[in-house]
Amino acid sequence: DADVTQTPRNRITKTGKRIMLECSQTKGHDRMYWYRQDPGLGLQLIYYSFDVKDINKGEISDGYSVSRQAQAKFSLSLESAIPNQTALYFCATSDGGRGQGYNEQFFGPGTRLTVL
Amino acid sequence: KQEVTQIPAALSVPEGENLVLNCSFTDSAIYNLQWFRQDPGKGLTSLLLIQSSQREQTSGRLNASLDKSSGRSTLYIAASQPGDSATYLCAVIPPTYAEYGNKLVFGAGTILRVKS
């Protein structure tokens, strides 16, 4: 079984609809992230969470919200979807360890979202 | 602001050839550097993680080097195979811990095609 799973894998929706993307992990990591990928632009950070009570905005958080329901679950919501939110969305996890160190990030398979 | 550039943007080689993918970053004071592989319709697979204190890492036919002073990393693939065809992404962690946590800064990637 995959360590980081995302549902749904593909979603087509209409402008103005509310959408939730879900992420679950079995790696036991404290840190979770949501990124979006646009062609030719690389990946950009939307939100990140260092534990259940810690939620932080990333560089492109406008139009998005998140919920950390448990250590293993981190959901991304689009309250009112718009066409320029059409992209590939990735969830990632890492083990924060002690102090301010960095650890390897592990990514889920992605959710392809199309907003018409 | 940290920026990551990958050259070439695309590469096509015959099977069996050794090849080098390049990654450069503008701020040499990084925490770590990570190489990923992305297959169409799939997520990012971590290939190698180089800690800022290291100069290289090896995994099978892959070898990644890091030269912080010049702001460069290379991914060397030996004896390439058609199964190596994918997009290869380089990502660094900037030194500013307070900015977006463990935010990965990605390059746009190199699309590799290995012809049989």
Side-chain angles (χ1 to χ4, degrees):
Chain A
D1 290 340
D3 294 320
V4 184
T5 58
Q6 293 182 233
T7 56
R9 294 294 311 279
N10 290 283
R11 181 72 183 269
I12 300 174
T13 191
K14 295 182 179 180
T15 297
K17 294 292 187 179
R18 184 178 188 275
I19 297 296
M20 178 179 285
L21 309 183
E22 299 185 339
C23 176
S24 296
Q25 53 110 349
T26 59
K27 299 188 75 67
H29 289 168
D30 290 326
R31 300 181 176 186
M32 298 187 74
Y33 313 80
W34 276 104
Y35 292 88
R36 69 176 275 175
Q37 185 180 35
D38 297 278
L41 293 181
L43 278 77
Q44 298 173 281
L45 183 66
I46 306 172
Y47 269 94
Y48 65 100
S49 169
F50 280 4
D51 63 39
V52 175
K53 297 180 181 180
D54 179 77
I55 304 291
N56 302 281
K57 293 182 177 180
E59 56 192 330
I60 56 164
S61 60
D62 289 347
Y64 301 95
S65 62
V66 291
S67 173
R68 186 81 184 267
Q69 300 95 325
Q71 184 203 37
K73 296 183 182 297
F74 193 35
S75 300
L76 175 72
S77 293
L78 287 68
E79 296 301 326
S80 180
I82 56 177
N84 74 2
Q85 292 178 312
T86 293
L88 190 55
Y89 289 83
F90 288 106
C91 173
T93 74
S94 70
D95 179 2
R98 292 186 174 184
Q100 298 185 352
Y102 159 71
N103 290 280
E104 188 173 4
Q105 291 196 16
F106 298 87
F107 283 72
T111 294
R112 186 169 296 280
L113 177 65
T114 303
V115 183
L116 302 177
Chain B
K1 178 182 177 182
Q2 178 73 271
E3 293 182 355
V4 178
T5 303
Q6 292 187 245
I7 295 174
L11 182 63
S12 182
V13 300
E15 182 178 5
E17 192 163 298
N18 301 325
L19 58 97
V20 174
L21 306 181
N22 296 293
C23 172
S24 61
F25 42 95
T26 54
D27 188 339
S28 62
I30 64 171
Y31 275 165
N32 296 298
L33 185 143
Q34 194 167 357
W35 281 95
F36 294 89
R37 167 184 173 142
Q38 183 175 19
D39 295 280
K42 296 186 178 181
L44 279 67
T45 301
S46 179
L47 297 174
L48 291 164
L49 171 71
I50 309 178
Q51 305 280 353
S52 58
S53 59
Q54 298 174 322
R55 294 191 64 87
E56 67 176 345
Q57 280 287 326
T58 298
S59 176
R61 294 183 293 108
L62 305 179
N63 175 276
S65 67
L66 174 63
D67 184 344
K68 285 176 55 180
S69 61
S70 65
R72 293 182 180 183
S73 176
T74 61
L75 179 66
Y76 175 83
I77 302 177
S80 59
Q81 303 170 358
D84 294 329
S85 298
T87 298
Y88 290 81
L89 296 165
C90 165
V92 302
I93 295 291
T96 308
Y97 175 84
E99 182 183 46
Y100 306 136
N102 286 5
K103 173 184 177 296
L104 293 175
V105 179
F106 282 86
T110 294
I111 301 171
L112 173 65
R113 179 186 173 208
V114 181
K115 298 173 289 185
S116 57

